Amino acid sequence: MRNFSLFLRSLLFAAVTLIATVVWSFVCLLAAPLPYNQRFWVTSRWNVFVVWCARVICGIRYQIKGAENLPNAPVVLLSKHQSAWETIFLLPNMPRPLVFVFKKEILYIPFFGWGMALLRMIPIDRSKGKRAFAHVVEHGKRRLADGQWIIMFPEGTRIPVGQSGQYKSGGTRLAIKTGALVVPIALNSGECWPKQSFIKRPGLITVSIGKPISPQGQTPDSMMQQVENWIESEMRVISPHAYSAG
């Protein structure tokens, strides 16, 4: 009976968010002529609505630890990635507009991709190798200078609860190239919104924000090692049960 209830709640959530995505894509198109900060605010109301639906329909609550660690300075956020939840949640819940670095194919997704195309994100063509990173640096400098923050997922893909992916140094390379601080983020969203799972489970997601790491005197690898050490250590604090066997 409980599994059936979870299925029904997840089905309702999927239906409501699908309708909201279609409707909001047209709202975003209407907001296209607005100044960027206003356009960003309008677009990100979709994110706020989806997070609200996840809480009301599916019982997915959240808490933020370490918000005081967010500096008033250019920042590259490097976050744990377990779920689609954080890509939705973080956008409207940081003190500055966020810029995601993502594969360009996402822009081709109907409705959702249209909204993304209206924001100052950084789509990349991974087939271009080094030229793709040069593109990220070029646009990243502009975005940081404009007062936005850049967010990247150093593991590159969603990682199941209790596991760790290979941390790639693209985010720290960008920080060193631009002089931006790096702020690590640990979160356990996969416990409620598992990767490639239709079923959403009620629970409390913790988003834990670490202290800024300066790029001064660092190499990309040494900086990323600090990021990985903090995130993986913090994961054992916020999800101790997932690592109890390790």
Side-chain angles (χ1 to χ4, degrees):
M1 182 62 70
R2 182 174 184 272
N3 288 340
F4 185 64
S5 175
L6 288 176
F7 173 79
L8 287 180
R9 293 169 72 178
S10 299
L11 181 63
L12 177 60
F13 174 76
V16 170
T17 54
L18 176 61
I19 294 169
T21 301
V22 174
V23 171
W24 213 249
S25 65
F26 291 103
V27 173
C28 292
L29 291 173
L30 291 174
L34 295 175
Y36 182 73
N37 283 347
Q38 295 179 29
R39 190 164 78 238
F40 180 91
W41 186 89
V42 169
T43 303
S44 65
R45 294 316 91 185
W46 176 87
N47 302 65
V48 173
F49 178 72
V50 172
V51 171
W52 179 83
C53 286
R55 178 174 61 84
V56 172
I57 299 173
C58 301
I60 300 176
R61 298 167 291 118
Y62 68 86
Q63 64 176 354
I64 300 176
K65 294 172 52 182
E68 68 278 3
N69 291 326
L70 294 169
N72 184 23
V75 162
V76 176
L77 297 171
L78 296 180
S79 175
K80 187 74 175 175
H81 196 16
Q82 290 188 340
S83 162
W85 183 87
E86 56 267 16
T87 64
I88 299 168
F89 173 81
L90 291 172
L91 188 77
N93 284 287
M94 291 293 107
R96 295 195 187 185
L98 291 190
V99 174
F100 281 81
V101 178
F102 61 88
K103 57 184 180 180
K104 68 174 185 178
E105 288 78 9
I106 289 177
L107 296 175
Y108 306 146
I109 299 174
F111 305 110
F112 179 80
W114 303 350
M116 292 290 284
L118 292 172
L119 301 179
R120 294 174 181 169
M121 305 301 176
I122 306 179
I124 59 171
D125 184 347
R126 292 178 177 175
S127 66
K128 292 187 176 179
K130 292 182 178 179
R131 283 187 296 167
F133 181 72
H135 172 81
V136 172
V137 172
E138 176 188 353
H139 287 270
K141 286 180 178 178
R142 292 184 201 164
R143 302 294 180 257
L144 292 167
D146 286 343
Q148 293 132 36
W149 284 356
I150 296 171
I151 180 168
M152 299 175 71
F153 299 109
E155 293 167 289
T157 188
R158 290 168 293 173
I159 302 298
V161 174
Q163 298 182 28
S164 173
Q166 180 183 358
Y167 281 69
K168 302 176 181 66
S169 62
T172 51
R173 287 167 61 199
L174 176 62
I176 289 172
K177 288 280 188 180
T178 60
L181 298 170
V182 160
V183 174
I185 298 177
L187 47 84
N188 59 346
S189 57
E191 295 189 24
C192 298
W193 189 320
K195 177 183 178 181
Q196 296 177 342
S197 174
F198 178 76
I199 301 297
K200 310 297 185 289
R201 301 184 180 279
L204 178 65
I205 295 174
T206 297
V207 178
S208 185
I209 301 169
K211 292 182 179 180
I213 301 172
S214 171
Q216 297 300 317
Q218 300 260 28
T219 67
D221 288 340
S222 69
M223 200 175 186
M224 185 54 71
Q225 191 62 59
Q226 291 182 54
V227 170
E228 180 177 358
N229 290 346
W230 187 86
I231 289 178
E232 293 304 320
S233 175
E234 185 66 9
M235 289 305 301
R236 286 158 173 78
V237 174
I238 63 179
S239 289
H241 51 279
Y243 297 89
S244 58

